Amino acid sequence: MSKNLYKRNGIWWAEKVYQRKRFRFSLETSNFREAQRRLAEKIEELTATHWGEKPRRTFAEIVDRFVEDHLPNLKPRSQQRYLTSIVQLGKTFADVKLDEIRSGLLYEFELSRSLAGAAKPTIRSDLACLSSMLGIAKTMEWLEFNPVAGYLATRAKKGLKEAEPKTRYLDHDEERFLLSHADEGFGEAIAFAIDTGLRKEEQFSLMRHHVDLKRHEVIIDATISKTSKERRVPLLPRAQEIVRHRMLSTRSAYIFPAKDGSRYSGRSNYILKRLKAVAAKSGIKPVIWHDLRRTCGCRLLQDRNMAMEGVARWLGHSSVNVTEKSYAFLRVDDLHRTVGTATESESNIVPMHRA
């Protein structure tokens, strides 16, 4: 096989005559042993095709196709999450043929990630990434079926589930404490997040041309919306006042810019660290930026009695089912309050039987 190999600019190439046809291709490696292995795979593929068989595709091939065709259509944050999962998946599946991926290998991956300290929701996300790739492989007829979907359903009974929805939100007193310990600029950003429910990426991407003060709303462009759909979010009176002040007090094109007028980096933890520091100073429980968005949803449901459908549109959820799942905990809180009220009123009832 070595006689079919030659180097060009430090990279191994191969030339092979098969069925009276000459094939010439780069093996995309400078390592001789790896070049031999890749050439063997290529010859196996040529042979299989000649006999009417489908060539056996590898994990590396579907990763290349996934990264090239699918990843560019995702938001930067989703791209980063998938790339992180792909790195972890490669530790188990790098040299594996797609048709060799079965429950045994999937369990081996789950176990290795667990021993490395990964949480179960994280492992599930990694496997969901693999499932997406194998779904594409199935569509391309590289694979007969996707084994990951069934594996995830089975392992969910053993605790390999998505993380439970978070329930942290600010009550009105906590909000006052938080704002009283934040400087004016950062306090405005916090209050605006609570009043609009924008995602952090959406809020810090907001520019002057996204604001419509005549209609008292901001436009969330499809390019920054998580669902890739434009939506318009109403501005409550406090949010209107904040936007007007920000547009007068800064020359930046962004409503909430960094100190130099540029956009905050989506990968920076600066905003989160600053919010946690203000929360610690104010003496309330730790809070992250998404908790401010959840606070908005709770206020819309509790203070304004808005229907779930309206909250879903306001927050830009993909469906009302997402909203119902995210805020189901409020119904339990309402039940507790109802029981508490009933208990207080029942304390005045004379018992039927006296001791």
Side-chain angles (χ1 to χ4, degrees):
M1 191 180 295
S2 301
K3 64 181 181 181
N4 299 316
L5 296 170
Y6 62 95
K7 263 192 173 182
R8 180 187 293 176
N9 297 326
I11 299 297
W12 285 105
W13 282 64
E15 185 175 289
K16 177 69 176 175
V17 177
Y18 188 80
Q19 298 296 316
R20 298 182 181 180
K21 292 182 180 179
R22 184 178 298 276
F23 298 88
R24 185 180 290 113
F25 42 86
S26 170
L27 296 168
E28 300 179 357
T29 180
S30 58
N31 183 279
F32 179 66
R33 289 186 179 277
E34 179 63 16
Q36 286 182 310
R37 188 185 69 80
R38 294 183 184 184
L39 176 57
E41 288 184 350
K42 190 68 177 179
I43 292 174
E44 179 184 344
E45 180 180 324
L46 290 171
T47 305
T49 304
H50 174 70
W51 290 105
E53 299 174 7
K54 293 179 181 177
R56 298 178 69 199
R57 302 292 184 172
T58 64
F59 172 79
E61 287 179 290
I62 194 56
V63 167
D64 289 342
R65 184 59 61 92
F66 184 80
V67 170
E68 183 178 342
D69 295 346
H70 183 64
L71 223 54
N73 299 321
L74 303 177
K75 296 289 187 296
R77 189 171 180 178
S78 297
Q79 290 181 13
Q80 188 60 45
R81 180 68 193 91
Y82 273 118
L83 288 172
T84 300
S85 289
I86 288 171
V87 170
Q88 297 300 329
L89 290 164
K91 295 176 182 179
T92 298
F93 302 103
D95 299 319
V96 173
K97 296 283 195 301
L98 295 183
D99 58 11
E100 293 175 341
I101 298 177
R102 293 287 189 273
S103 59
L105 266 180
L106 295 173
Y107 182 70
E108 181 182 320
F109 171 78
E110 180 187 339
L111 186 60
S112 65
R113 289 288 280 136
S114 182
L115 290 173
K120 289 186 176 182
T122 302
I123 301 171
R124 188 178 179 88
S125 294
D126 292 339
L127 289 172
C129 172
L130 177 61
S131 185
S132 295
M133 290 192 288
L134 296 189
I136 292 173
K138 184 180 175 183
T139 301
M140 297 171 64
E141 298 185 345
W142 287 8
L143 198 62
E144 292 296 326
F145 75 102
N146 179 358
V148 182
Y151 180 83
L152 286 174
T154 301
R155 294 298 295 161
K157 299 174 183 177
K158 300 294 183 180
L160 192 66
K161 301 178 180 179
E162 296 179 7
E164 291 295 324
K166 292 182 171 60
T167 62
R168 176 76 168 106
Y169 68 97
L170 300 178
D171 60 33
H172 291 281
D173 286 336
E174 285 181 315
E175 178 187 347
R176 281 192 287 272
F177 292 147
L178 193 65
L179 293 178
S180 67
H181 287 83
D183 61 54
E184 183 184 47
F186 196 57
E188 287 181 333
I190 292 171
F192 189 84
I194 291 172
D195 285 358
T196 62
L198 299 189
R199 298 177 177 90
K200 187 176 74 169
E201 180 74 13
E202 295 171 343
Q203 179 166 334
F204 290 98
S205 296
L206 205 63
M207 304 179 75
R208 290 173 178 266
H209 66 270
H210 294 134
V211 178
D212 188 339
L213 286 175
K214 289 183 179 180
R215 290 178 55 86
H216 307 306
E217 64 186 20
V218 289
I219 303 164
I220 309 305
D221 195 273
T223 58
I224 59 174
S225 169
K226 185 177 180 180
T227 58
S228 299
K229 294 179 181 178
E230 180 184 290
R231 78 180 191 279
R232 293 171 179 264
V233 177
L235 291 175
L236 300 175
R238 181 174 66 171
Q240 293 176 41
E241 183 182 338
I242 289 171
V243 167
R244 288 194 181 95
H245 179 254
R246 302 293 299 179
M247 294 177 75
L248 289 172
S249 63
T250 178
R251 295 182 179 181
S252 173
Y254 293 97
I255 304 300
F256 298 96
K259 288 183 179 180
D260 62 357
S262 64
R263 186 203 182 287
Y264 279 106
S265 169
R267 296 183 180 180
S268 171
N269 288 325
Y270 175 73
I271 296 295
L272 176 60
K273 288 180 180 178
R274 196 172 176 186
L275 180 61
K276 285 186 173 181
V278 173
K281 191 186 299 184
S282 65
I284 66 173
K285 291 191 300 183
V287 59
I288 62 174
W289 199 265
H290 199 85
D291 296 336
L292 307 180
R293 170 174 163 83
R294 190 177 301 108
T295 300
C296 176
C298 291
R299 301 272 174 89
L300 294 175
L301 289 165
Q302 293 178 314
D303 297 357
R304 298 180 180 276
N305 295 317
M306 186 177 288
M308 282 286 182
E309 291 79 3
V311 177
R313 289 195 300 273
W314 184 302
L315 296 179
H317 286 159
S318 57
S319 72
V320 71
N321 291 335
V322 175
T323 314
E324 290 175 343
K325 181 178 179 181
S326 299
Y327 293 94
F329 69 93
L330 289 181
R331 294 178 179 175
V332 177
D333 289 347
D334 289 339
L335 290 174
H336 281 295
R337 276 193 292 273
T338 301
V339 171
T341 303
T343 302
E344 290 176 8
S345 62
E346 288 169 2
S347 63
N348 297 319
I349 298 176
V350 178
M352 290 180 63
H353 302 286
R354 296 182 181 274

